[in-house]
Amino acid sequence: MLLTELANRIGAELSDPGAVIEINDVCALTDANPFGVTYVSSEKFRHALRETTAGAVILAPALAAEAPCACLLVDNPVLAFARAAELLHPRSRSPVGCHPSAVIAAGAEVHPSASIGALCVIEDGVRIAAGVEIGPHCVIQRDSLIGAETRLVASVTVCERTIIGKRVLLHPGAVIGRDGFGFARDGERWIRVPQIGRVRLGDDVEVGTNSAVDRGAIGETVVGDGVKIDNLIQIGHNVEIGDHTAMAACSGISGSTRIGKGCTIAGAVGMAGHLDIGDDVHFTGMAMVTRSFEQPGTYSSGIPAMPSADWRRNVARFRHLDEMAKRLRRLEERVAELQKAQRDQAD
């Protein structure tokens, strides 16, 4: 499309409104072409910006003077670039209808505008709304509800009685509604506690590859509207996640923990169960969350990587921390006694 049309559709201001440039691709800042549009999100890319060969660049007004090409001026370049990429590279939809190899129970309701891919299994009582796309090898178990315009990419399992909202995106290998990890001791054996709840996903949720959301033991596991769940994430039974929270890969949330709205959980964060996490709480990578955090803010734990020799020395010292703390306490008490004696002599 013409650059003027692109600017209008992504809500950008053109640095040269009279420029007649055709754009047909998005590209990287350092590997660009004259028909591509790229973006700059930070001043640290000034040098690369000066040397780009892109046809146009999306950036904040403060960086426009550095660009050797046409500029699309916005306050949020990353968001504008995402919209441009969606316009220039629209996703092709799957064909409407059911593949001949799909197995669909007589008691399932599939909207005529839905798409059911090869080797899918749709069980009894399932309801699939308008515009849903079910990719190959997906399994939708009994009495589940799939909301309008939702997409299951491939090999997704939706377990019984799961409720999925509108415009949800489930990536390959995602499992929604499996039994939670619930067991009771019987002497030396573990006895499974029946998991009789379900999962409810809100609208515009995304669940990444090989991530699992467990059903409630009793009641529901709830994922709010707009929540984004990365790859390889475990959501335990009866967890509640507030609207528009985002979670990065390899994080795990133990059962019955409640997470507020607008939170961010970085990679490899581990949360204990039965915690309360407030709105706008942010955990950095590899944080170990063992207590509730109800106040907004950023929280961290974990130990950053360091040279192995330094790490070994520090680990050796860890064993002596308790002894050192006791010695320090005795020294502080002795100093306090000496200071008191000096004050008594002065009096």
Side-chain angles (χ1 to χ4, degrees):
M1 63 182 67
L2 290 177
L3 185 61
T4 50
E5 181 185 356
L6 180 62
N8 181 60
R9 294 180 68 176
I10 67 173
E13 179 185 351
L14 265 179
S15 58
D16 180 8
V20 181
I21 300 172
E22 185 176 288
I23 298 295
N24 58 24
D25 196 8
V26 294
C27 56
L29 187 63
T30 56
D31 185 22
N33 67 79
F35 299 101
V37 60
T38 186
Y39 76 103
V40 175
S41 60
S42 170
E43 292 189 1
K44 67 182 180 181
F45 299 112
R46 282 179 181 271
H47 180 73
L49 172 60
R50 296 188 190 108
E51 298 182 356
T52 190
T53 56
V57 60
I58 301 170
L59 41 62
L63 291 172
E66 309 285 344
C69 56
C71 297
L72 296 154
L73 307 177
V74 294
D75 293 328
N76 189 338
V78 178
L79 176 61
F81 182 77
R83 290 171 173 162
E86 189 173 30
L87 289 169
L88 292 165
H89 295 271
R91 183 181 67 84
S92 57
R93 294 184 61 88
S94 301
V96 171
C98 299
H99 192 276
S101 64
V103 178
I104 302 175
E109 297 179 13
V110 179
H111 194 277
S113 65
S115 171
I116 311 297
L119 302 174
C120 288
V121 176
I122 312 296
E123 294 186 351
D124 203 42
V126 169
R127 288 181 291 162
I128 296 176
V132 169
E133 296 180 62
I134 309 293
H137 292 272
C138 291
V139 176
I140 316 296
Q141 294 185 341
R142 61 179 179 83
D143 298 324
S144 295
L145 171 63
I146 312 296
E149 303 296 328
T150 284
R151 181 186 177 207
L152 283 61
V153 177
S155 300
V156 173
T157 300
V158 177
C159 298
E160 58 264 26
R161 296 182 292 108
T162 295
I163 297 176
I164 295 178
K166 301 174 183 177
R167 300 176 301 278
V168 171
L169 176 58
L170 304 180
H171 288 280
V175 178
I176 312 299
R178 67 171 284 270
D179 278 2
F181 192 69
F183 297 88
R185 271 291 205 188
D186 180 13
E188 296 182 353
R189 300 187 306 159
W190 290 105
I191 303 301
R192 171 172 287 280
V193 177
Q195 306 290 291
I196 60 175
R198 65 181 181 186
V199 171
R200 177 160 51 90
L201 304 187
D203 298 338
D204 302 300
V205 170
E206 184 166 335
V207 179
T209 296
N210 292 340
S211 289
V213 182
D214 292 354
R215 74 172 68 232
I218 299 174
E220 295 183 330
T221 300
V222 179
V223 178
D225 294 344
V227 170
K228 308 302 179 186
I229 297 172
D230 199 1
N231 303 332
L232 300 169
I233 286 177
Q234 164 65 25
I235 308 295
H237 57 80
N238 294 103
V239 166
E240 297 180 16
I241 303 176
D243 297 349
H244 306 296
T245 284
M247 304 175 60
C250 298
S251 294
I253 314 299
S254 298
S256 299
T257 283
R258 294 186 297 174
I259 301 172
K261 299 178 180 179
C263 297
T264 54
I265 299 168
V269 168
M271 286 193 189
H274 299 272
L275 303 182
D276 288 310
I277 308 300
D279 297 342
D280 297 309
V281 171
H282 310 283
F283 294 108
T284 61
M286 299 190 71
M288 182 181 293
V289 185
T290 58
R291 65 179 180 87
S292 296
F293 291 85
E294 298 184 2
Q295 297 301 315
T298 300
Y299 301 92
S300 302
S301 68
I303 300 175
M306 63 184 74
S308 293
D310 293 344
W311 172 247
R312 286 193 292 269
R313 283 194 296 270
N314 289 332
V315 168
R317 293 186 178 109
F318 291 160
R319 295 194 296 270
H320 304 290
L321 286 178
D322 186 60
E323 177 189 344
M324 292 170 64
K326 292 177 180 178
R327 289 170 58 192
L328 177 60
R329 189 177 301 112
R330 289 196 296 268
L331 287 171
E332 290 174 340
E333 291 171 353
R334 181 56 180 158
V335 169
E337 291 173 359
L338 292 173
Q339 290 174 338
K340 182 177 185 301
Q342 288 178 343
R343 288 195 298 270
D344 291 344
Q345 290 177 356
D347 293 341

